Amino acid sequence: MHPFDQAIALQSLGGGLFQGHTSERYWNFVSPFGGFTAAVLLNAMLRSPERIGDPLTLTVNYAAPIQEGAFAVAAQPLRSTRTTQHWAAQLTQADDPQPLATAVSVFAVRRTTWNLTEATPPDVGRPDDSEQYLPFPNLRWPTMYDMRYVRGELAAENSDSLTYSWIRDAQPRGLDYASLTAICDAFFPRIFLRRAHLVPIGTVSLNIYFHADDTTMSEQGTDAVLAVARANVFSQGYFDQEGQVWGRNRQLLATTHQVVWYKE
Amino acid sequence: MHPFDQAIALQSLGGGLFQGHTSERYWNFVSPFGGFTAAVLLNAMLRSPERIGDPLTLTVNYAAPIQEGAFAVAAQPLRSTRTTQHWAAQLTQADDPQPLATAVSVFAVRRTTWNLTEATPPDVGRPDDSEQYLPFPNLRWPTMYDMRYVRGELAAENSDSLTYSWIRDAQPRGLDYASLTAICDAFFPRIFLRRAHLVPIGTVSLNIYFHADDTTMSEQGTDAVLAVARANVFSQGYFDQEGQVWGRNRQLLATTHQVVWYKE
């Protein structure tokens, strides 16, 4: 079993309730890597027997640090039609009834239509042309990925926050909605591209729009995806990030946005 | 009382429950204008006595058409700290217990920090240099706004979906979080910029990041805001939209994203 699948594994307790456990491998400084938390919340929906279609949108709000250990995920379909399904999920721990993270999601059955990709991926070399990047020697979760930055330098006053990076699971694993979700939170916090020193940060809200069906996701296989990300604004303790995740054959797999808390 | 305030008015029933009524003025083809629904859901949070800080994020998922008439909004703070508050809200009608629209939001107390606006607004003329635009003579809600498009032609095969438009309430009203929310859903559906004929569409999910504090919002007054919007991809029945809303003095007031269902 791949380490990512081990990490996001959930035991179904029935009635939309699941039990999981934090993973040492996907641990961040004081709580799990936010991409792990988002993938776990989506996984509860993906594993629910009522599920219709595939993920179209996912919003995860991070309310408080998750502690090391067991957690519960409650996932509930709020309304379903023949082709769409609206979900809400919450992650709680121990005796605290208030959620530490919440998610809402729309699932949808995709169909054949007139299609057009307006955005274009940047013209960059292959992943092998660049070196693997490990930002913090003591931080575990980045070692779970093979990340290669081809634009943007960490902890430097770059003239903009735009980065291009290749990313895949360090131990190869076929791409799916859960792993793409985690990857959408795996880019550098944008403030590290505009300031020379590292500052405390934390993702407050993560939004993902999935643009590929299950077949397209499968075709990606274990290849690295190309991530494009940048910030619009850093203001009064919060900055944003806009990102695109490109797959093989110039397929736009996901667009993703987040708001991040920062301290000077 | 301004028509917008009349439209989004809520009667508090206590315990986080509110009652409202759809508005003829903000009516779309078969249900309320999505910006109205989003503003009503946010308004329930804004009006709650437990409220801490101002809106930072808002995600609204549209699950089913809202019928003309009365509706209920239930708004609940899920978790609060000294400086942030996580909310969920649902809109229901009559005896149907399943929500027709849901919202999650993060409120935050903003503070003085190192700030930087990386994005730049397009260099366009003043609102008065362009003509007011009323896309559909029989549609009511667009008449509630003074919209002036300076880039992008409706129902034409433009070479891209990028539009610049000025927008303000037709009857002047000082900008606030509720009206900015509605404005974030007031841009042309992007598919109308790439296809010569109109097709059925419906917003599935709307995401807004607010980048300005209450003081900055007040300083906007009744001036028009400048909206920039474009799509990344139209795929298998769903397309996305990315937008920026610019205020006076090159202030980025909000970034907004949505996913829209379309039929060929």
Side-chain angles (χ1 to χ4, degrees):
Chain A
M1 205 180 190
H2 190 278
F4 183 74
D5 295 296
Q6 282 176 36
I8 67 163
L10 292 170
Q11 187 192 345
S12 173
L13 305 177
L17 206 63
F18 297 85
Q19 193 161 45
H21 198 284
T22 60
S23 163
E24 199 191 320
R25 287 166 169 153
Y26 291 89
W27 194 253
N28 206 342
F29 290 105
V30 298
S31 59
F33 158 50
F36 162 85
T37 304
V40 159
L41 285 159
L42 185 69
N43 199 28
M45 304 175 207
L46 287 167
R47 287 211 31 211
S48 294
E50 311 93 313
R51 168 193 175 182
I52 292 172
D54 288 321
L56 177 67
T57 81
L58 176 69
T59 304
V60 179
N61 288 345
Y62 300 88
I66 297 164
Q67 307 298 316
E68 209 180 323
F71 56 76
V73 177
Q76 192 192 359
L78 301 177
R79 191 172 196 111
S80 307
T81 66
R82 205 168 39 84
T83 56
T84 62
Q85 193 167 48
H86 288 252
W87 285 87
Q90 296 197 340
L91 189 152
T92 53
Q93 270 188 318
D95 300 329
D96 184 351
Q98 297 192 320
L100 302 166
T102 65
V104 290
S105 177
V106 183
F107 279 53
V109 176
R110 290 177 169 82
R111 60 190 202 285
T112 305
T113 54
W114 171 87
N115 295 338
L116 173 72
T117 301
E118 180 166 317
T120 52
D123 190 19
V124 298
R126 293 293 314 157
D128 303 343
D129 300 344
S130 51
E131 278 191 24
Q132 188 175 358
Y133 191 80
L134 291 171
F136 305 104
N138 297 326
L139 202 54
R140 189 69 190 280
W141 76 261
T143 68
M144 302 307 292
Y145 292 99
D146 185 327
M147 283 192 268
R148 289 156 191 263
Y149 272 79
V150 288
R151 187 188 198 278
E153 190 189 342
L154 189 70
E157 292 182 6
N158 295 273
S159 62
D160 61 46
S161 67
L162 179 65
T163 60
Y164 305 146
S165 58
W166 292 101
I167 182 165
R168 64 167 176 83
D169 290 293
Q171 179 180 323
R173 178 183 178 281
L175 192 74
D176 58 18
Y177 291 105
S179 64
L180 179 56
T181 294
I183 283 172
C184 282
D185 193 42
F187 325 145
F188 289 162
R190 296 298 103 183
I191 199 165
F192 296 172
L193 280 308
R194 300 305 307 257
R195 308 215 73 182
H197 61 280
L198 299 182
V199 296
I201 60 103
T203 300
V204 173
S205 187
L206 170 68
N207 191 62
I208 303 172
Y209 295 149
F210 300 96
H211 301 297
D213 63 11
D214 201 41
T215 308
T216 308
M217 300 282 281
S218 302
E219 284 166 2
Q220 181 66 21
T222 60
D223 281 8
V225 294
L226 176 61
V228 176
R230 68 172 170 202
N232 288 298
V233 66
F234 307 78
S235 178
Q236 298 182 302
Y238 297 93
F239 67 84
D240 77 329
Q241 178 190 282
E242 293 193 336
Q244 299 171 336
V245 181
W246 292 91
R248 293 177 59 181
N249 304 320
R250 304 170 70 87
Q251 279 277 352
L252 184 56
L253 301 177
T255 46
T256 179
H257 310 95
Q258 62 174 267
V259 161
V260 182
W261 166 88
Y262 67 94
K263 201 177 166 180
E264 272 186 291
Chain B
M1 204 180 192
H2 189 280
F4 183 73
D5 295 295
Q6 282 177 33
I8 67 163
L10 291 170
Q11 187 193 345
S12 173
L13 306 176
L17 206 63
F18 297 85
Q19 193 160 45
H21 198 284
T22 60
S23 163
E24 200 192 319
R25 287 165 170 156
Y26 291 89
W27 194 253
N28 205 342
F29 290 105
V30 299
S31 60
F33 158 51
F36 162 86
T37 305
V40 159
L41 285 159
L42 185 69
N43 198 28
M45 306 177 206
L46 288 168
R47 289 214 26 214
S48 294
E50 311 94 312
R51 169 193 174 182
I52 292 171
D54 288 320
L56 177 68
T57 80
L58 176 69
T59 304
V60 178
N61 288 345
Y62 300 88
I66 296 165
Q67 307 300 315
E68 210 180 322
F71 56 77
V73 177
Q76 191 192 0
L78 300 176
R79 191 172 196 112
S80 306
T81 67
R82 205 167 40 80
T83 56
T84 61
Q85 193 168 47
H86 288 253
W87 286 88
Q90 296 196 341
L91 188 153
T92 51
Q93 267 186 320
D95 301 329
D96 184 352
Q98 296 192 321
L100 302 167
T102 66
V104 289
S105 178
V106 183
F107 278 53
V109 176
R110 291 178 168 82
R111 59 188 204 286
T112 305
T113 55
W114 171 87
N115 295 339
L116 172 72
T117 302
E118 181 167 317
T120 53
D123 190 19
V124 297
R126 295 291 314 156
D128 302 343
D129 299 345
S130 51
E131 277 190 25
Q132 189 176 356
Y133 190 81
L134 291 171
F136 305 103
N138 297 324
L139 202 54
R140 189 72 190 277
W141 75 261
T143 68
M144 302 307 292
Y145 292 99
D146 184 327
M147 285 192 267
R148 289 156 192 263
Y149 273 79
V150 287
R151 186 188 200 278
E153 190 190 341
L154 188 71
E157 292 183 5
N158 295 274
S159 62
D160 61 47
S161 66
L162 179 65
T163 59
Y164 305 147
S165 58
W166 293 101
I167 183 165
R168 65 167 176 82
D169 290 293
Q171 177 180 324
R173 179 184 178 279
L175 192 74
D176 58 17
Y177 291 106
S179 65
L180 180 55
T181 294
I183 284 173
C184 282
D185 193 42
F187 326 146
F188 289 161
R190 295 299 101 183
I191 199 164
F192 296 172
L193 279 309
R194 300 305 307 258
R195 308 213 75 181
H197 60 280
L198 300 181
V199 296
I201 61 103
T203 300
V204 173
S205 186
L206 171 69
N207 191 61
I208 302 172
Y209 295 150
F210 300 96
H211 300 298
D213 62 12
D214 201 39
T215 308
T216 308
M217 300 282 282
S218 302
E219 285 165 2
Q220 182 64 24
T222 60
D223 281 8
V225 295
L226 177 60
V228 176
R230 69 173 171 203
N232 288 298
V233 66
F234 305 78
S235 178
Q236 297 182 303
Y238 298 93
F239 67 85
D240 78 330
Q241 178 190 282
E242 294 193 335
Q244 299 172 335
V245 181
W246 293 92
R248 293 177 58 178
N249 304 319
R250 304 169 71 88
Q251 279 276 353
L252 185 56
L253 302 177
T255 45
T256 180
H257 310 95
Q258 63 174 267
V259 161
V260 182
W261 167 88
Y262 67 94
K263 201 176 166 180
E264 271 185 291

